[in-house]
Structure formats: structure tokens, C-alpha cells
């Protein structure tokens, strides 16, 4: 079950092929040490406008910020109001409502900013918004620690709609709300069958996310529990063992019939494969890259967490928003920051020619939901 060249590569990072050689594995540990492959650095240079040295420095700084986040949050105590990575300073910034806690946060090595509302207050306001029924002109909403507010994103062409205005009136009454415009409404990135691109279920093509022991995780909108999954050659791989959409957008598929799993995100013959070494969650502001069966490697930044996305099929909660582009067929694919798995592609707006935004369902939520163990190098 091996084929060569670009057409041979199985989608996003769950199955090994002949392309996963000792050389490609070695590439994954070169240049940036254990944190990034040469391919990941290439993609960051292309999509984020960085030099190779800047990409290496950013990954190193982001890894340090991720490791520091828990300690800095503890130092903030009940005044914690959120955190994010600042690419300019290369440091983690923690918001606090109590100025006396700012010094304790800075003592950990993080920057501190004094704001008005705690994270608990903002999360409670967002939860109240989640209970509302949103019109299609409202694309999403999330807590933005940098704005110290719940940000509601409205499709620009729909901002004058009566239902949208009524929703915003209700939203503003529930807590601190900031309204922003977005270009398009979000949509999922599933696609009809395209010859030569796995995986398939029914007449849908989606992308594999990450290997877990016994299978792989992907997007829930790609298939329902019990649905059969086929590989690039049409042979049986397994079945959806669990699936949730909307409200969530995650699923997992068992792997058998001669197929196997490895801890890599594939580079599609254009960049080196990226080894997966864990699932530490990157902070807001960190760089992040995505691999998918349609558009392959693209990079951007983490824009927001715990965002509720209002798809036409229903709202999906606890999503992470990024500035990475995607297109139909990329659904389910891998989001990775450095060598840490982040989540599976859900949907977004735009494309990889003109740009856009894409959401992913966090990987640790999926692992916890189904009791799965990430396959790591």
C-alpha cells in the first residue's frame, strides 16, 4: 500500500508512506532543533514574511511562552483576565484586574497589563451570548483578552439587517461587547470527491488531522458515527467511531485493513514532514500552520480562542480562530504550532489566493472526549 510522488501522499499527517524516510525525519530535527522541520520554517517564511532566523526565534519564544502560561496565570490569581503571545516583544502578556498582581506576573518573566474585567467575567458574558439564537449575519463571537471584551463578528454586508441589530442590542446588555466586521460568513471546508485525494466517506473528501493510537481524528461534519472511510486507492480504512456536529466539530476513525498511523503531519512533497511531539496549546498571538489535502501547507497566527462560530448548520463552540487560509477538502486537517498538535480544521471564509480566516477544534478536547492518546514521536 505504497505510492510515490505527490499523488502518493496521504492527507495530513496520520499515515506513513515511503516518503517518510530517515532523511525526512532528520529534516524534522534540523535547523530549529526539536521544534520545527525545514518545511515548517519554509511555510512560516512564506506566509508570515519572516526570515529563517526570525522563524526559528519565533518558535523558540512561543515555546517558552506556552511553558510559562500556567505559572503566570497562577501568579495573577483571581484577577487573571486572559493572556496572549506578543510577536513584537517575543513575550507572553497577561492581563490582570488587580494592579498589585502585575508585579507578581512580571516576576515570572511575563509582561502584565491592567484591565477592567476578569476572564471569569468575560467568559460568563460569552456564555450568556451562547444562549441566544444568532442570525446568519452574525458570524462568530469570542472573548478577546487584548480588547478585554467579548468580540462579536458581523458580516459587513449584513450589519444593517434588523435581526443582526436586535442580536447586538441583546448582546450589549449581557456584558462588555465590541462589534467587528468580517468579510464573509463562515462555512465548513468539506468537498465532493476529487480523484486521487483521500480520505473519502460517501461522496465527501476531507483531510486527516492527527494520528491517535488506533486511528486518527478529524472534523465531525465530514461523517457520522458508523460511516465507512476509504483511502486514496478506494480500499477500506475503517469507520467513524464517534462524531459530533454541530455544537462540536470533531470525530475519530479507527484504522485497520493494512493501514497504519505515525506521528507526522505530511508536507505533500513540497516541504518536509513535521513530526508531532505533543499537544501543548499555543497562546493567542502565536504562529500556527495548517496542512490539508487541497491547499497543503499554510501558516498564520492564532487570533482567538473559545470562539462560537455560527455556521448555517448550527453553532459550534470552543473553537480557535486563526489567520490561516483554507479551502474545500481541507476540513479535518492538521493545525500545528512548532511540533505541538493544536487541532483539526473546521471551517472559515476566504481562500488561499485572496486570504481569509479558519477555525479549528482544539485537539485536547477531542482526545479527552473520546479517551484517545495522541501518537507522538
Amino acid at each position: 500500500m505504497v505510492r510515490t510522488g505527490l499523488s502518493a501522499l496521504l492527507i495530513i499527517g496520520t499515515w506513513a508512506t515511503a516518503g517518510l524516510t530517515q532523511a525526512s525525519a532528520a529534516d524534522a530535527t534540523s535547523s530549529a532543533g526539536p521544534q520545527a522541520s525545514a518545511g515548517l520554517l519554509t511555510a512560516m517564511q512564506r506566509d508570515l514574511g519572516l526570515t529563517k532566523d526570525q522563524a526559528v526565534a519565533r518558535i523558540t519564544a512561543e515555546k517558552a511562552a506556552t511553558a510559562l502560561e500556567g505559572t503566570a496565570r497562577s501568579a495573577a490569581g483571581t484577577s487573571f483576565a486572559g493572556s496572549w503571545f506578543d510577536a513584537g516583544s517575543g513575550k507572553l502578556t497577561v492581563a490582570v484586574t488587580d494592579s498589585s498582581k502585575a508585579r507578581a506576573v512580571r516576576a515570572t518573566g511575563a509582561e502584565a497589563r491592567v484591565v477592567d474585567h476578569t476572564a471569569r467575567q468575560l467568559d460568563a458574558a460569552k456564555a450568556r451570548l451562547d444562549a441566544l439564537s444568532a442570525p446568519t449575519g452574525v458570524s462568530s463571537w469570542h472573548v478577546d483578552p487584548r480588547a478585554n471584551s467579548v468580540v462579536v463578528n458581523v458580516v459587513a454586508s449584513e450589519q444593517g439587517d434588523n435581526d443582526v441589530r436586535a442580536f447586538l442590542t441583546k448582546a450589549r446588555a449581557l456584558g462588555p461587547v465590541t462589534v467587528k466586521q468580517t468579510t464573509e460568513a463562515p462555512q465548513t471546508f468539506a468537498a465532493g470527491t476529487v480523484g486521487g485525494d483521500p480520505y473519502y466517506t460517501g461522496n465527501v473528501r476531507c483531510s486527516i488531522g492527527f494520528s491517535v493510537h488506533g486511528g486518527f481524528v478529524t472534523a465531525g461534519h465530514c461523517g457520522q458515527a458508523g460511516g465507512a472511510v476509504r483511502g486514496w486507492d478506494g480500499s477500506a480504512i475503517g469507520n467513524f467511531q464517534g462524531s459530533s456536529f454541530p455544537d462540536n466539530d470533531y470525530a475519530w476513525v479507527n484504522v485497520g485493513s493494512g493501514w497504519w498511523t505515525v506521528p507526522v503531519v505530511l508536507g505533500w512533497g513540497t516541504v518536509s514532514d513535521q513530526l508531532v511531539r505533543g499537544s501543548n496549546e499555543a497562546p493567542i498571538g502565536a504562529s500556527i500552520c495548517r496542512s490539508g489535502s487541497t491547499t497543503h501547507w499554510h501558516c498564520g497566527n492564532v487570533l482567538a480562542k473559545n470562539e462560537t462560530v455560527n455556521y448555517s448548520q448550527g453553532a459550534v463552540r470552543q473553537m480557535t480562530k486563526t489567520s490561516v487560509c483554507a479551502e474545500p477538502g481541507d476540513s479535518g486537517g492538521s493545525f500545528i504550532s512548532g511540533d505541538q498538535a493544536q487541532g483539526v480544521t473546521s471551517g472559515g471564509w476566504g481562500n488561499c489566493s485572496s486570504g481569509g480566516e479558519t477555525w479549528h477544534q482544539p485537539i485536547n478536547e477531542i482526545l479527552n472526549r473520546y479517551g484517545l492518546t495522541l501518537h507522538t514521536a
Side-chain angles (χ1 to χ4, degrees):
M1 188 176 297
V2 173
R3 59 178 182 173
T4 59
L6 179 61
S7 63
L9 295 178
L10 297 170
I11 55 179
I12 313 184
T14 21
W15 298 314
T17 68
L20 182 62
T21 62
Q22 290 181 344
S24 65
D27 287 342
T29 59
S30 67
S31 301
Q35 299 170 352
S37 70
L40 179 61
L41 295 176
T42 298
M44 290 179 68
Q45 292 172 69
R46 178 195 65 201
D47 294 336
L48 297 177
L50 304 174
T51 65
K52 182 178 180 181
D53 288 344
Q54 288 172 333
V56 171
R58 180 156 176 176
I59 289 174
T60 301
E62 289 171 353
K63 187 171 185 178
T66 299
L68 179 62
E69 194 167 23
T71 301
R73 179 170 184 158
S74 295
T78 58
S79 75
F80 177 74
S83 61
W84 61 93
F85 175 78
D86 187 312
S89 66
K91 291 187 175 182
L92 180 74
T93 298
V94 176
V96 295
T97 56
D98 183 348
S99 59
S100 68
K101 293 293 186 180
R103 180 176 296 179
V105 168
R106 294 188 183 104
T108 69
E111 298 290 341
R113 180 184 297 179
V114 179
V115 296
D116 294 329
H117 309 288
T118 67
R120 179 172 295 182
Q121 290 170 331
L122 294 174
D123 288 341
K126 179 186 175 292
R128 291 190 287 270
L129 263 68
D130 284 345
L132 300 179
S133 178
T136 56
V138 177
S139 65
S140 63
W141 53 94
H142 68 275
V143 170
D144 185 347
R146 288 168 291 195
N148 196 229
S149 175
V150 178
V151 172
V152 178
N153 297 291
V154 175
V155 179
S157 61
E158 299 292 328
Q159 59 183 336
D161 178 79
N162 288 337
D163 290 340
V164 170
R165 295 173 68 178
F167 178 87
L168 294 177
T169 298
K170 294 178 182 178
R172 291 187 176 101
L174 298 177
V177 165
T178 301
V179 178
K180 292 186 177 180
Q181 293 184 13
T182 188
T183 305
E184 301 176 30
Q187 60 181 340
T188 55
F189 286 128
T193 300
V194 177
D197 280 330
Y199 67 94
Y200 303 106
T201 176
N203 65 345
V204 170
R205 170 172 61 86
C206 279
S207 299
I208 294 166
F210 292 95
S211 289
V212 296
H213 289 286
F216 65 84
V217 294
T218 186
H221 71 262
C222 291
Q224 297 181 345
V229 174
R230 309 184 308 279
W232 61 266
D233 61 352
S235 66
I237 296 173
N239 298 83
F240 281 91
Q241 299 298 302
S243 179
S244 178
F245 179 80
D247 193 38
N248 304 294
D249 194 6
Y250 49 61
W252 82 281
V253 175
N254 69 317
V255 167
S257 303
W259 296 83
W260 66 96
T261 66
V262 291
V264 299
V265 173
L266 293 177
W268 290 92
T270 56
V271 297
S272 301
D273 299 334
Q274 174 66 48
L275 294 177
V276 178
R277 291 189 169 88
S279 60
N280 292 326
E281 186 176 340
I284 293 171
S287 64
I288 193 167
C289 296
R290 180 196 55 73
S291 183
S293 62
T294 300
T295 59
H296 305 167
W297 273 99
H298 287 277
C299 297
N301 299 305
V302 178
L303 300 178
K305 295 184 180 183
N306 191 23
E307 182 152 29
T308 299
V309 181
N310 192 32
Y311 293 130
S312 61
Q313 301 95 326
V316 177
R317 311 182 198 287
Q318 297 180 314
M319 301 266 269
T320 297
K321 179 164 68 176
T322 75
S323 62
V324 188
C325 67
E327 295 180 10
D330 287 327
S331 278
S334 319
F335 265 94
I336 189 166
S337 183
D339 56 10
Q340 299 296 305
Q342 299 297 304
V344 300
T345 303
S346 173
W349 61 268
N351 55 55
C352 289
S353 296
S354 59
E357 295 176 338
T358 303
W359 286 267
H360 70 73
Q361 187 89 69
I363 182 68
N364 289 327
E365 179 184 358
I366 307 171
L367 300 177
N368 291 335
R369 169 63 179 82
Y370 294 119
L372 301 170
T373 301
L374 186 67
H375 192 169
T376 58

